[in-house]
Amino acid sequence: MKRSEIETIASEQKERLLASDSGMIREALASLTDTSTHALIISGIRRCGKSTLLHQYLLKQSGEFFYFHFEDIRLYNFQTNDFKLLDTVINNSGVKILFFDEIQSVKGWELFVRQKLDAHFKVVITGSNASLLSREFGTKLTGRHITKELFPFSYREFINFKRLKPSFDSLVAYMQNGGFPEFLQHGNIDTLKMLIDDIVYRDIVVRHSVKDASSVKRLLSYLLYNAANLTSPSKLTSVAGVKSSTTVLEYFSYFEDAYLIAQMHKFSYSAKAQALAPKKIYVCDAGLIRAGAVLPSENYGYFLENMVFIHLRRKQETMYYYNDHDKECDFVIVRHNKPIAAIQVCWELTSDNEEREINGLTDAMRSFNLNKGMIVTANQRDTLMLDDLEISIVPAFEFFIK
């Protein structure tokens, strides 16, 4: 590339960014650390609002900044050697605050960022691949980075954006639509379908040189349909249409790297038992489930459980599911290697499921010496006392705004 080309692209990108709407203030903005000694990384699935959050963050900064988005089509031929030209453009600008969008698209980016940190630049980065961000910064920056995950709109952000109140109706609306900002603006479901295709082909098939794209899509469709269910990769070879469970495991890692899904392990003090047990699969946003799988209404309980998982993940909780003596509890929250809370999720407690749901929760509570537990439902509120155990039954729309 030519230096003049990089100068032109950077100038036009910055002009467009400043002219764009900074959008609704994201909750994550308050947690972004202002530091010049560590790179600040904002990571998350494509189209969840990382660039908007970056815009909001830079508006809080004093002084001039340099902005560069590496997925601009004009930078298709940007190579490692072109970082020298970019370095010249940055130095000529005289700024000390750098904002890079999707820089992980270029080989050698982590060394360039390390160089800028050593030169006392403030560096803020967005990225949509979890593995690249964690692995490469971990080895090249040796602790000189702070990573913040961004998700699509939370329930609280959703109702603020839609100007709704916390209620059962707004909970259902959130469950049916999810939190991707662009989709919520226009309501075109094709937006989410195109996003899934974009991630599958750009972040998985192309990046990992997968020859059979159809097998990736088949497996992903199955996982979207079975969100919040137990899965075992060894049993999914026929679903994906591949011969080896190793290939299925590779696809799982690609989905996780792209923030499409997350796996939750069974709680066990044995690492081997955790590794061998089936995993629960969750999807990053309800909108993707709706766009990628046809679901009957009776799956609402799984929708709700998926939403609870993302809510807890957004709060950076460490979670496991509990399963012992054929009794299951959906979430066990662990801090400092100690279980501190047990949460059960069901759409509605009825005479048909009440015994099963309560027994699963109380078995986990007794196993971990917890005297308080919680059942999150769609629209029920109550308190149960069973011997020395107290169970709070709370509506999800209240649980999500705390």
Side-chain angles (χ1 to χ4, degrees):
M1 294 193 69
K2 298 177 181 179
R3 177 175 56 81
S4 58
E5 292 176 326
I6 293 177
E7 287 176 334
T8 298
I9 292 170
S11 175
E12 291 178 359
Q13 286 181 346
K14 181 178 179 181
E15 184 178 342
R16 285 199 302 270
L17 180 69
L18 291 176
S20 65
D21 184 1
S22 61
M24 184 186 74
I25 298 299
R26 297 300 302 269
E27 293 175 345
L29 182 63
S31 68
L32 298 186
T33 306
D34 189 8
T35 176
S36 58
T37 58
H38 291 64
L40 174 61
I41 308 168
I42 304 169
S43 64
I45 192 169
R46 289 183 182 275
R47 311 306 298 169
C48 71
K50 296 187 296 296
S51 296
T52 298
L53 181 62
L54 195 65
H55 189 181
Q56 295 170 359
Y57 181 75
L58 69 85
L59 290 177
K60 295 174 58 180
Q61 307 302 308
S62 58
E64 283 295 310
F65 64 91
F66 184 88
Y67 173 77
F68 207 60
H69 194 310
F70 284 84
E71 289 200 335
D72 191 309
I73 189 64
R74 294 171 293 179
L75 297 172
Y76 179 78
N77 291 319
F78 192 99
Q79 302 294 326
T80 304
N81 288 338
D82 293 320
F83 277 124
K84 296 178 182 178
L85 298 176
L86 178 60
D87 205 28
T88 300
V89 173
I90 291 172
N91 290 334
N92 289 344
S93 72
V95 303
K96 283 291 185 178
I97 304 175
L98 309 177
F99 294 90
F100 295 135
D101 249 341
E102 302 291 350
I103 192 175
Q104 86 278 350
S105 303
V106 184
K107 185 179 180 180
W109 63 275
E110 68 281 0
L111 295 177
F112 178 72
V113 170
R114 175 63 185 261
Q115 171 202 328
K116 305 317 291 181
L117 287 175
D118 289 342
H120 306 292
F121 282 81
K122 180 186 293 185
V123 183
V124 183
I125 298 166
T126 71
S128 55
N129 187 280
S131 178
L132 282 172
L133 291 171
S134 61
R135 180 177 65 248
E136 293 177 5
F137 263 77
T139 56
K140 299 299 193 305
L141 289 188
T142 58
R144 295 183 61 184
H145 66 284
I146 299 170
T147 302
K148 298 292 184 180
E149 283 188 316
L150 184 67
F151 296 87
F153 283 168
S154 67
Y155 171 70
R156 183 160 45 194
E157 288 174 319
F158 172 83
I159 60 176
N160 287 340
F161 183 79
K162 289 290 190 178
R163 298 178 181 177
L164 303 172
K165 294 181 179 180
S167 66
F168 172 74
D169 290 339
S170 63
L171 173 73
V172 173
Y174 180 56
M175 183 177 65
Q176 293 175 338
N177 292 281
F180 279 98
E182 185 178 359
F183 172 68
L184 294 179
Q185 281 184 318
H186 307 295
N188 186 351
I189 194 66
D190 288 337
T191 301
L192 297 180
K193 293 179 179 179
M194 290 173 63
L195 172 62
I196 293 174
D197 287 341
D198 196 32
I199 293 172
V200 166
Y201 287 104
R202 293 176 63 184
D203 295 337
I204 297 176
V205 174
V206 174
R207 175 168 288 163
H208 299 286
S209 301
V210 177
K211 295 181 180 180
D212 185 5
S214 60
S215 64
V216 175
K217 296 197 72 172
R218 282 194 298 269
L219 181 59
L220 179 59
S221 178
Y222 175 87
L223 296 178
L224 293 176
Y225 184 88
N226 289 280
N229 279 280
L230 290 171
T231 60
S232 179
S234 62
K235 298 179 180 179
L236 296 180
T237 53
S238 60
V239 171
V242 298
K243 297 179 180 179
S244 170
S245 59
T246 301
T247 302
V248 174
L249 286 171
E250 288 177 351
Y251 289 176
F252 269 45
S253 69
Y254 301 158
F255 295 150
E256 287 190 285
D257 285 347
Y259 289 97
L260 281 169
I261 68 165
Q263 298 184 66
M264 188 170 69
H265 293 254
K266 175 182 175 180
F267 181 88
S268 175
Y269 291 106
S270 165
K272 182 178 180 180
Q274 277 191 12
L276 294 176
K279 312 298 185 294
K280 272 197 171 185
I281 301 297
Y282 296 96
V283 180
C284 82
D285 183 80
L288 293 186
I289 301 176
R290 175 186 172 194
V294 179
L295 293 174
S297 60
E298 58 262 26
N299 281 60
Y300 275 10
Y302 292 124
F303 263 93
L304 185 59
E305 184 181 334
N306 196 93
M307 291 162 60
V308 170
F309 174 85
I310 297 302
H311 175 74
L312 295 173
R313 170 79 176 267
R314 189 180 280 111
K315 293 163 70 73
Q316 298 182 311
E317 299 287 8
T318 300
M319 297 164 285
Y320 300 86
Y321 74 88
Y322 171 87
N323 191 315
D324 198 16
H325 306 110
D326 294 325
K327 295 178 181 178
E328 182 175 324
C329 179
D330 295 319
F331 298 102
V332 174
I333 298 175
V334 175
R335 294 178 189 163
H336 307 297
N337 297 317
K338 181 181 179 181
I340 57 99
I343 301 174
Q344 194 76 294
V345 182
C346 69
W347 183 251
E348 182 182 19
L349 277 177
T350 67
S351 57
D352 292 331
N353 66 11
E354 185 174 83
E355 182 178 357
R356 181 184 70 248
E357 301 291 351
I358 292 175
N359 285 346
L361 176 61
T362 56
D363 201 62
M365 293 168 65
R366 291 192 173 97
S367 179
F368 303 126
N369 296 316
L370 303 172
N371 55 21
K372 290 186 178 182
M374 180 183 295
I375 301 177
V376 178
T377 67
N379 197 25
Q380 291 170 289
R381 185 186 294 103
D382 213 333
T383 302
L384 299 176
M385 292 297 303
L386 299 173
D387 298 327
D388 57 338
L389 304 181
E390 180 180 336
I391 299 175
S392 299
I393 302 171
V394 299
F397 57 85
E398 292 183 1
F399 177 75
F400 289 145
I401 61 175
K402 292 182 179 178

